[in-house]
Amino acid sequence: MSDLMKVSSNPHVRSKVTTSSIMLMVVIALLPAAGFGIYNFGVDALILIAVTVASTVLTEFAYEKLMNKKVTVGDYSAVVTGLLLALNLPSTAPWWIGVIGGVFAILVVKMLFGGLGQNFMNPALAARCFLLISFTSIMTNFECDTYTGATPLAAIKSGESVDILSMVVGRTSGTIGETSMIAIILGACFLILLGVIDLRIPGCYILSFALFAGLFGGHGFDPAYISAQLAGGGLMLGAFFMATDYVTRPVTKNGQYLYGVLLGVLTGIFRIFGPSSEGVSYAIIIGNLLVPLIEKITLPTAFGMKGGKRA
Amino acid sequence: MNNGNAMERLYNGLIKENPTFVLMLGMCPTLAVTTSAMNGLGMGLTTMVVLALSNMMISMLRNIIPDKVRIPAFIVVIASFVTMVELLLEGFIPALYDALGLYIPLIVVNCIILGRAESYASKNPVLPSLFDGIGMGLGFSFALTCIGAVRELLGAGEIFGLHIMPDSYVPCAIFIMAPGAFFVLAALTAVQNKIRISGEKKGKDMSKIQSGCSEDCMNCNEKGCSHRFYGEGKESEQK
């Protein structure tokens, strides 16, 4: 009886899901893509992934120690950032690229804005764009031992034909984690089944991009062209793992649909009308910046309010 | 309010109220032309000449200029000096003139110059005003040279055109592009704040002698200010 009379303040029902358990699931979901990248590009890729993850985790640890803050390395968010960043680097990049990128992602983009949950931009993508602008030739050098040609997207852009099957499997040149559509979808299915992410943003993103590519790509709704655009480059990795980042996506449902469509259109504009063949990173970063506005216009009306005013 | 002597005005402009790192004024040339240490120094010195001369002239005219038209009058004085400096630069230092380009005529609307005219030169005698202009100009030159040097070092591996970094260093091109200006400015301002705060802890008087207050209270973070004014827009939003 006395147990029933227990008085405590809310919340009374607590979920067992914690930040670290979600982040750990994301890490597990990224392992197929990372594993395939190592299989595809060899030991260089493994070293780069290890260095980048070590760099993000150590940066977070060192910053929090120096600033006398609670050390939050245990929540795996730095591991996710490091892993995502590494999967976005070409396997030919020297090790110090991973270190600079990791320090920039954690120190400048995440910690200076207040740590996990406060960053207005996806740290891994911001670091990738920082590296892409700073060291353009290193970041776009995809010529490794296994592959010598251009990336599939660059080949499409210059009008050459590409082999769709090898793009879906992932036996093409590109960044470490982006090549294999199958491995990425495998990880994404894992996250969707566990309820960590849902299909709202990736679905809207991919559909709106496919529509945009069909309308403006210059090939009409040619299935071969559209599927090559979908399987090529960082679209899948970006749509499932970076656009869905809890911190930098909109929280409102309608906002997430709008956000997905916005990313699709931006990616289409960058890929089709831009000078570069790839545009997922910049599209998601610009989308991140617009998230506060998207949330503002999609704010649901609270119960008991009419048209945003008290009834 | 201390009108002070020449040395105190110089110290104030260079350190205590450094226009770039403390007052955060003149951000447009600060961010745009500091791609190298030389450009930063050139811009800073050019601004200093205009600042010193216009401060002096406005201080001389301060009892003649009617209060209602003081801003247009200041602008006319400043623009005259900028035109003179621009023509001199074009004639004698064409390399610097080409490097700074559009930003020389834009000195007219540099808010440091108008800010010093409004908040100091129009209220104070000629000599302190002249030294206030020189001090502020030196502070601006110092800040721009620092930003330029860091950007040039990281972005090109050089300082004042001298190769400093080892050959294995790969230049980080973002630092000589626009985003790099923001990174370097923020980092140097953080260093400056760190010095100021640790100085305050040791009991040194780091307070501003006379703030560059131009009644822009919305963007002011001086907590002890008695003129603090909150915009009406904010209050109505809260209701």
Side-chain angles (χ1 to χ4, degrees):
Chain A
M1 189 64 192
S2 60
D3 278 353
L4 286 175
M5 296 296 284
K6 208 171 205 173
V7 178
S8 68
S9 82
N10 57 3
H12 304 293
V13 184
R14 287 166 193 273
S15 162
K16 287 207 174 72
V17 179
T18 58
T19 307
S20 32
S21 73
I22 288 179
M23 291 298 170
L24 194 59
M25 283 188 248
V26 178
V27 172
I28 294 169
L30 281 170
L31 288 181
F36 188 87
I38 295 166
Y39 163 71
N40 202 15
F41 296 107
V43 74
D44 287 354
L46 180 65
I47 295 171
L48 197 56
I49 291 175
V51 166
T52 313
V53 172
S55 149
T56 52
V57 173
L58 285 179
T59 307
E60 182 155 325
F61 180 78
Y63 179 84
E64 283 168 341
K65 273 280 170 212
L66 282 176
M67 296 289 147
N68 297 321
K69 290 187 175 180
K70 200 177 138 220
V71 174
T72 56
V73 172
D75 67 10
Y76 295 106
S77 64
V79 179
V80 171
T81 301
L83 197 52
L84 275 175
L85 174 61
L87 296 186
N88 273 297
L89 300 174
S91 64
T92 51
W95 60 271
W96 50 264
I97 286 276
V99 174
I100 293 178
V103 170
F104 182 83
I106 296 294
L107 187 65
V108 178
V109 186
K110 188 173 163 194
M111 283 307 167
L112 288 186
F113 287 92
L116 183 66
Q118 310 290 325
N119 47 304
F120 66 106
M121 235 184 212
N122 187 316
L125 274 183
R128 178 187 143 90
C129 292
F130 176 83
L131 294 172
L132 196 59
I133 296 171
S134 302
F135 309 103
T136 313
S137 59
I138 295 175
M139 288 293 287
T140 52
N141 171 24
F142 296 110
E143 304 229 334
C144 58
D145 298 339
T146 335
Y147 305 104
T148 49
T151 59
L153 275 186
I156 299 173
K157 186 129 187 160
S158 57
E160 295 161 38
S161 62
V162 286
D163 180 15
I164 304 268
L165 189 66
S166 65
M167 285 173 75
V168 172
V169 176
R171 297 293 283 170
T172 60
S173 62
T175 68
I176 294 174
E178 76 178 10
T179 57
S180 173
M181 192 176 174
I182 291 180
I184 293 166
I185 301 265
L186 199 69
C189 286
F190 174 73
L191 288 186
I192 291 166
L193 289 178
L194 286 174
V196 176
I197 62 172
D198 53 50
L199 271 174
R200 262 178 239 134
I201 293 172
C204 286
Y205 186 174
I206 293 167
L207 282 180
S208 61
F209 172 72
L211 195 66
F212 191 94
L215 287 175
F216 300 104
H219 296 262
F221 285 90
D222 174 15
Y225 174 72
I226 304 260
S227 51
Q229 279 284 3
L230 291 182
L235 181 68
M236 288 295 151
L237 191 65
F240 285 108
F241 288 98
M242 312 221 244
T244 54
D245 173 18
Y246 281 19
V247 180
T248 52
R249 71 174 188 190
V251 290
T252 59
K253 227 177 224 180
N254 289 337
Q256 294 185 352
Y257 292 122
L258 187 61
Y259 178 66
V261 173
L262 177 80
L263 296 184
V265 171
L266 281 175
T267 307
I269 292 174
F270 288 140
R271 276 199 186 174
I272 292 163
F273 301 117
S276 160
S277 59
E278 179 57 297
V280 171
S281 324
Y282 291 123
I284 297 179
I285 285 235
I286 292 172
N288 287 165
L289 296 179
L290 295 175
V291 162
L293 298 176
I294 293 173
E295 283 176 343
K296 200 168 183 181
I297 59 169
T298 55
L299 200 66
T301 313
F303 183 72
M305 310 278 264
K306 240 181 198 172
K309 286 179 184 167
R310 270 177 213 283
Chain B
M1 197 158 294
N2 187 348
N3 288 338
N5 56 31
M7 283 318 288
E8 181 252 285
R9 292 318 304 167
L10 289 181
Y11 176 67
N12 182 44
L14 202 54
I15 309 285
K16 272 195 172 177
E17 278 185 42
N18 188 297
T20 304
F21 295 137
V22 181
L23 302 183
M24 288 283 160
L25 291 176
M27 285 294 114
C28 171
T30 304
L31 295 169
V33 302
T34 52
T35 49
S36 70
M38 206 49 180
N39 281 358
L41 185 62
M43 184 72 204
L45 292 179
T46 312
T47 309
M48 186 183 88
V49 172
V50 176
L51 188 52
L53 292 175
S54 70
N55 255 12
M56 192 181 75
M57 182 63 85
I58 286 164
S59 177
M60 283 172 179
L61 298 172
R62 69 185 188 279
N63 295 325
I64 306 169
I65 298 173
D67 206 37
K68 277 183 183 164
V69 293
R70 68 187 192 284
I71 301 284
F74 295 164
I75 295 278
V76 169
V77 172
I78 296 166
S80 318
F81 283 118
V82 170
T83 312
M84 282 156 58
V85 170
E86 187 185 0
L87 292 174
L88 288 172
L89 274 183
E90 194 177 1
F92 292 100
I93 323 176
L96 187 63
Y97 177 82
D98 289 337
L100 298 182
L102 180 68
Y103 292 96
I104 301 175
L106 277 180
I107 296 175
V108 177
V109 286
N110 187 321
C111 48
I112 301 172
I113 300 178
L114 198 60
R116 292 329 285 177
E118 169 79 4
S119 69
Y120 194 88
S122 62
K123 296 166 193 158
N124 289 289
V126 176
L127 209 57
S129 295
L130 174 67
F131 278 98
D132 181 76
I134 295 175
M136 281 284 161
L138 281 178
F140 190 59
S141 311
F142 168 70
L144 258 59
T145 312
C146 284
I147 296 174
V150 174
R151 288 180 69 186
E152 197 182 352
L153 183 68
L154 293 174
E158 301 172 338
I159 288 183
F160 287 109
L162 292 172
H163 217 75
I164 300 246
M165 290 294 206
D167 285 339
S168 56
Y169 176 76
V170 182
C172 187
I174 198 168
F175 281 101
I176 46 176
M177 292 193 248
F182 288 94
F183 292 140
V184 175
L185 175 66
L188 290 180
T189 306
V191 171
Q192 212 272 350
N193 277 343
K194 174 81 186 155
I195 295 171
R196 186 174 54 81
I197 289 166
S198 62
E200 269 170 6
K201 275 186 189 154
K202 281 177 198 151
K204 273 193 206 162
D205 173 30
M206 304 300 271
S207 63
K208 295 171 185 174
I209 296 168
Q210 182 191 3
S211 77
C213 180
S214 54
E215 287 162 33
D216 179 15
C217 293
M218 298 294 279
N219 296 317
C220 174
N221 50 12
E222 197 155 79
K223 292 204 177 74
C225 179
S226 57
H227 304 292
R228 197 151 173 98
F229 160 80
Y230 290 99
E232 285 169 33
K234 268 193 177 170
E235 266 191 36
S236 59
E237 258 181 40
Q238 282 167 357
K239 282 171 195 165

